[in-house]
Amino acid sequence: MIQTVIFDMDGVIVDTEPVHRYAYFQHFKELNIEVSEELYTSFTGFSTRNVFQKVKEIFGLDHEVEDLIKRKRTIFNDAFDTKKDLDLLDGVRQLIVDLHQNGIQLILASSASKVTIDRVFNRFGLNPYFTHKVSGEDFPQSKPHPAIFEFAASLSLAPKEKCIVIEDSTNGVKAAKAAGIFCVGYNSIHSEAQDLSAADTIIDHFTELNFEVVRQLDSKLSNN
């Protein structure tokens, strides 16, 4: 049976995207550059470093990437700490608790920085449920490159064939499939601009997933 579930964070566990968006566009405004919606959407799944490497290349910025990262994170952290209505996505805590109580290993694999991951996990008390937290800042290439999921799967107590990934973005799904891992696409209200068609199965709400449903994915895995 499936023994490990690998979660993405932004858009799957918590919707920090509005905070990230605010921080990025505030920073873009400071830099006096205009980033289109199409270009910004293409960054979904990118680490902050990869976003600014791309932005620097496109707009010919003289700033050091490290300085750009620091400024964006300062804006993000200030906004995160003052956003009182930030909460876990509907149903995900119940899913996490259910899987954990039934012996499923949980691993986080997020493009977010370690600092952001820790802020979210500490704020919502998620640390006891996850054996590992993997940050995209540790990898030179962001999703859709499979490195982050390949590494997360290597931390699993089970073979890769007994793992699944839950993702909500085009790049995340592509990364999971490129890593050779069964992918559940989470089609939330925040995924409207994302193409999840390459996922092995798609859900619209976390009430569609629980321990028993995850167990039944074994039959799909064997045909994957």
Side-chain angles (χ1 to χ4, degrees), residues 27 30-33 52-69:
H27 195 13
E30 292 176 357
L31 295 168
N32 198 30
I33 60 175
F52 281 116
Q53 285 173 340
K54 194 71 175 177
V55 166
K56 183 174 178 177
E57 174 188 327
I58 292 171
F59 293 96
L61 300 178
D62 294 329
H63 304 67
E64 294 295 328
V65 170
E66 290 299 326
D67 293 333
L68 295 170
I69 292 171

Side-chain angles (χ1 to χ4, degrees), residues 73-86:
R73 286 182 180 165
T74 296
I75 300 172
F76 174 88
N77 291 340
D78 289 344
F80 182 93
D81 290 340
T82 57
K83 189 171 175 57
K84 303 302 182 184
D85 61 342
L86 187 67

Side-chain angles (χ1 to χ4, degrees), residues 182 200 217-224:
F182 188 94
D200 296 286
L217 291 176
D218 239 353
S219 60
K220 292 187 178 182
L221 275 172
S222 62
N223 298 318
N224 190 28

Side-chain angles (χ1 to χ4, degrees), residues 125-140:
L126 298 177
N127 287 301
Y129 303 107
F130 287 75
T131 61
H132 300 85
K133 296 178 291 184
V134 183
S135 167
E137 71 179 8
D138 290 331
F139 303 89

Side-chain angles (χ1 to χ4, degrees), residues 168-205:
D168 75 314
S169 72
T170 305
N171 288 336
V173 170
K174 287 180 178 179
K177 296 310 299 174
I181 305 173
F182 188 94
C183 185
V184 176
Y186 174 44
N187 185 31
S188 77
I189 59 172
H190 308 292
S191 305
E192 293 177 353
Q194 303 300 312
D195 179 7
L196 307 180
S197 60
D200 296 286
T201 189
I202 296 175
I203 62 169
D204 296 316
H205 195 279

Side-chain angles (χ1 to χ4, degrees), residues 14 20 22-23 28 48 50 52 74 98 111 129 150-151 167 169-170 172 183 192 195 199 211 222:
V14 65
H20 281 294
Y22 169 79
F28 296 154
T48 306
N50 287 141
F52 281 116
T74 296
D98 180 47
S111 298
Y129 303 107
E150 290 172 341
F151 182 72
E167 261 288 355
S169 72
T170 305
C183 185
E192 293 177 353
D195 179 7
F211 173 66
S222 62

Side-chain angles (χ1 to χ4, degrees), residues 13-41:
I13 291 178
V14 65
D15 183 24
T16 57
E17 171 52 30
V19 189
H20 281 294
R21 179 187 176 85
Y22 169 79
Y24 273 121
F25 277 93
Q26 279 293 109
H27 195 13
F28 296 154
K29 185 177 179 180
E30 292 176 357
L31 295 168
N32 198 30
I33 60 175
E34 292 189 16
V35 175
S36 68
E37 287 295 328
E38 182 180 6
L39 179 58
Y40 182 74
T41 299

